Amino acid sequence: MGKAVRAAPAPAPQVGFVSLGCPKATVDSEHILTRLRAEGYRISGTYDGADLVVVNTCGFIDSAVAESLDAIGEALAENGRVIVTGCLGAKGDIVRETHPEVLAVTGPHATDAVMDAIHAHLPKPHDPFFDLVPPQGIRLTPRHYAYLKISEGCNHRCTFCIIPSMRGDLVSRPVGDVLREAERLVASGVRELLVISQDTSAYGVDVKYRTGFWNGRPVKTRMTELVQQLATLGAWVRLHYVYPYPHVDEVVALMADGKVLPYLDVPFQHASPRILRRMKRPANAENTLARIRAWRDLCPDLTIRSTFIAGFPGETEAEFDELLAFLDEAKLDRVGCFAYSPVEGAAANALDDPVSEEIREDRRRRFMEKQQAISAERLARRVGRDAHVLVDAIDGNVAIARSGADAPEIDGHVLVTPARGLKVGEFARVRITSADTYDLHAVPV
Ligand code: SF4
C-alpha cells in the first residue's frame, strides 16, 4: 500500500489490508475481505485512509518472517492501528515481542477471530451493505482465475515443515460447499479454478470420503469425484499439491479425456529414498519414476511441475547425484529448487550431519543448471504446435497468456504477438513459434 491523500469523510469505517504469503493465505485474506464488505466496512487502498490495518502474515521460512515483521512495522508507522493474522501469528510470541503495540494477533485460517478483533477496535457500521457484496465474495486474484481451497491443515509431519503445528491436522471442506463456491466463481466470470490445499490427494481422508450433496446429487468427498464434478463447470481446472499415490492415476485418466487440465503440481522434494524418509515425506515408498512413466503413458501431454530441496541435513554427494540422475530420467516440465533453510521449530533442525550453507547453495545452483536445460528442451518440443491459451494481460502489442501447461504466478507465459483482437480473461487459439528457457512465443491462428 502506498501513501495517498486522506479520503473524504466516509459513512462507513475503512479497513486497510496487507496480504502476504502463499495462495492459501490469499484465500484466507479473501474470506476476511468478503466478511468485511458483507458487514458494511469499506476497504482502504492506503494507510492514511484506513481506520485500522489488518496484516495477513507468512511464517514459513525465516525470510518470510522478516518480511512479515517489516510489513507490520510499516503499517504501525504509517497507520498505528494494526491487527495481525496469518501463519506468523501462530509462531509463539514473536509478533508481540517485536511489535508490542499491535492491537490483536491471531493465527491462520481465523476469520472469526480477526472479525472479533476488528469489531472490538472498529465497531461495525449500522447499515450493512449486504447487497453490495457480489455472491462470489471478494477476490484478490484477477477476475478470470481463482484459487479454490478444498481443505485446511495436514496429516503429514514432514520434518522440514511447521504447517501442521500451525494449522493442525487435515480438515476437508464439505464437497457440496466446495462445488457451490466453484459454481459461483465460474458464474462470476472465472475461467480457471486452481485447486489448492496442503495435500490435495488426501482430500476427504479425514471424513472417510463421506458422501455429500451438490445440486441434489450425491458426491463423495474424494479427489477424483470432486474433480469429475468440477470438470462439468466449463472452466479450466488445475490441480496443485498432489502426491504420487496410486489413486492419482484416476485423475490423470480424466486429464487424458480432456476433462481437466493435463497438469500436476507434485512437490517431490527429493529422489533419494533415504532422504525422503528423513524428510518423512508422504508417498516416500512409492516408485516415483515408474509412476511418472505410467502417468505419461496414460496422458502423453501431461505437464508435471515440482519443487525440490537441495542440501537437506544428511544429504551426501552421492544422494545429491541421485537427485540429478532422477531429473535426467523424470524430465519434469517445471521445477523449483530451494537450498535447505532451517525453519524455526522444524524437526529437521535436530537431524545430524547438516550440510554447510555453501554446499547447499552450490547444490541448488547445480540442480537449477541441469533443470534449465531440461525445461528448455521440454518447451522446445511445443514449437510448431497449436495451443489454447488464456490471456492474463495485454502489454502494448503483446498478449501475456498461459496455456494449460502454465500455472499463474509460478510458471512461464505464452507471449502472443500481435495482441490485436485478444482480450484479457478470454481464451485464444495460438501457434507456438519459438521457445526460450521458461516462456513460449506465439502468433494467433
Ligand atoms: S505434506 Fe509435508 S510439507 Fe506439505 S504441509 Fe504437510 S507436513 Fe508440510
Side-chain angles (χ1 to χ4, degrees):
M1 281 202 316
K3 284 193 95 166
V5 179
R6 184 178 286 275
Q14 298 207 48
V15 178
F17 210 96
V18 178
S19 186
L20 305 168
C22 64
K24 284 153 270 195
T26 304
V27 174
D28 286 349
S29 295
E30 289 172 353
H31 287 163
I32 298 166
L33 287 167
T34 300
R35 285 274 297 275
L36 284 167
R37 285 289 304 275
E39 293 186 6
Y41 289 92
R42 295 202 302 156
I43 311 302
S44 170
T46 66
Y47 288 120
D48 288 6
D51 297 299
L52 65 76
V53 177
V54 177
V55 182
N56 188 6
T57 59
C58 176
F60 186 49
I61 53 173
D62 292 349
S63 59
V65 171
E67 188 194 4
S68 294
L69 289 173
D70 283 354
I72 297 166
E74 182 182 300
L76 281 167
E78 298 286 337
N79 182 280
R81 306 185 75 222
V82 175
I83 289 173
V84 176
T85 182
C87 289
L88 188 59
K91 283 186 96 174
D93 292 333
I94 182 163
V95 174
R96 286 227 179 266
E97 276 163 11
T98 319
H99 297 296
E101 62 276 48
V102 296
L103 299 175
V105 182
T106 78
H109 200 50
T111 306
D112 288 341
V114 175
M115 292 309 298
D116 287 348
I118 293 170
H119 295 153
H121 295 282
L122 188 64
K124 265 204 254 202
H126 288 299
D127 179 20
F129 298 158
F130 280 101
D131 297 342
L132 297 183
V133 178
Q136 76 281 9
I138 309 292
R139 288 186 292 109
L140 296 174
T141 45
R143 223 178 103 77
H144 59 276
Y145 66 84
Y147 293 99
L148 183 66
K149 181 145 85 171
I150 61 169
S151 60
E152 187 54 62
C154 183
N155 286 347
H156 304 296
R157 294 293 180 265
C158 300
T159 50
F160 56 81
C161 178
I162 54 168
I163 284 177
S165 65
M166 293 195 294
R167 299 197 169 203
D169 282 341
L170 175 78
V171 179
S172 298
R173 287 182 62 199
V175 68
D177 286 7
V178 174
L179 286 165
R180 273 186 291 278
E181 181 180 350
E183 201 171 24
R184 279 196 301 274
L185 288 166
V186 174
S188 76
V190 163
R191 300 269 197 268
E192 177 176 4
L193 295 164
L194 301 131
V195 176
I196 57 162
S197 65
Q198 314 295 345
D199 176 359
T200 296
S201 32
Y203 179 58
V205 167
D206 54 318
V207 293
K208 304 198 171 51
Y209 307 119
R210 180 168 57 209
T211 298
F213 286 89
W214 178 50
N215 288 342
R217 285 198 305 274
V219 184
K220 265 190 170 184
T221 311
R222 190 168 173 274
M223 177 173 64
T224 307
E225 283 77 357
L226 171 69
V227 170
Q228 265 163 345
Q229 298 306 321
L230 289 174
T232 65
L233 294 174
W236 276 1
V237 176
R238 191 184 296 283
L239 302 181
H240 288 282
Y241 315 118
V242 171
Y243 288 97
Y245 288 113
H247 72 280
V248 174
D249 295 6
E250 297 168 6
V251 290
V252 176
L254 295 175
M255 293 172 182
D257 285 348
K259 301 264 172 50
V260 285
L261 290 178
Y263 180 100
L264 272 183
D265 177 3
V266 191
F268 291 116
Q269 306 300 14
H270 213 280
S272 148
R274 192 185 76 94
I275 296 296
L276 286 168
R277 278 196 305 276
R278 273 170 87 86
M279 288 177 165
K280 293 212 175 127
R281 289 297 285 165
N284 65 44
E286 297 293 329
N287 181 340
T288 304
L289 279 174
R291 183 116 270 128
I292 292 172
R293 265 194 295 272
W295 289 343
R296 288 200 170 127
D297 284 348
L298 209 57
C299 180
D301 281 338
L302 180 66
T303 293
I304 304 177
R305 143 167 281 280
S306 191
T307 46
F308 291 86
I309 296 174
F312 188 76
E315 182 191 69
T316 62
E317 194 57 32
E319 283 161 340
F320 178 66
D321 284 345
E322 212 174 322
L323 177 55
L324 295 185
F326 171 87
L327 285 187
D328 273 332
E329 281 280 318
K331 300 225 178 307
L332 305 175
D333 300 87
R334 312 278 193 183
V335 166
C337 181
F338 300 96
Y340 174 73
S341 149
V343 175
E344 204 189 312
N349 300 345
L351 292 175
D352 46 13
D353 303 325
V355 177
S356 75
E357 197 178 338
E358 202 188 329
I359 295 178
R360 281 184 254 153
E361 280 300 333
D362 183 59
R363 289 183 184 166
R364 191 195 70 83
R365 187 190 49 74
R366 285 159 58 201
F367 177 107
M368 285 315 288
E369 229 168 64
K370 175 168 281 293
Q371 179 57 35
Q372 261 159 24
I374 296 170
S375 294
E377 186 191 311
R378 299 282 303 170
L379 277 186
R381 288 156 42 118
R382 296 172 59 195
V383 173
R385 292 214 219 159
D386 286 1
H388 200 46
V389 297
L390 180 56
V391 178
D392 277 343
I394 307 265
D395 183 8
N397 199 27
V398 183
I400 302 165
R402 288 176 296 106
S403 70
D406 318 303
E409 294 166 38
I410 49 176
D411 292 333
H413 290 105
V414 180
L415 305 169
V416 190
T417 324
R420 199 172 345 107
L422 303 182
K423 288 206 181 83
V424 171
E426 300 215 339
F427 291 110
R429 190 103 204 130
V430 300
R431 179 150 310 144
I432 312 290
T433 52
S434 64
D436 50 39
T437 312
Y438 299 112
D439 296 326
L440 291 167
H441 300 265
V443 293
V445 288

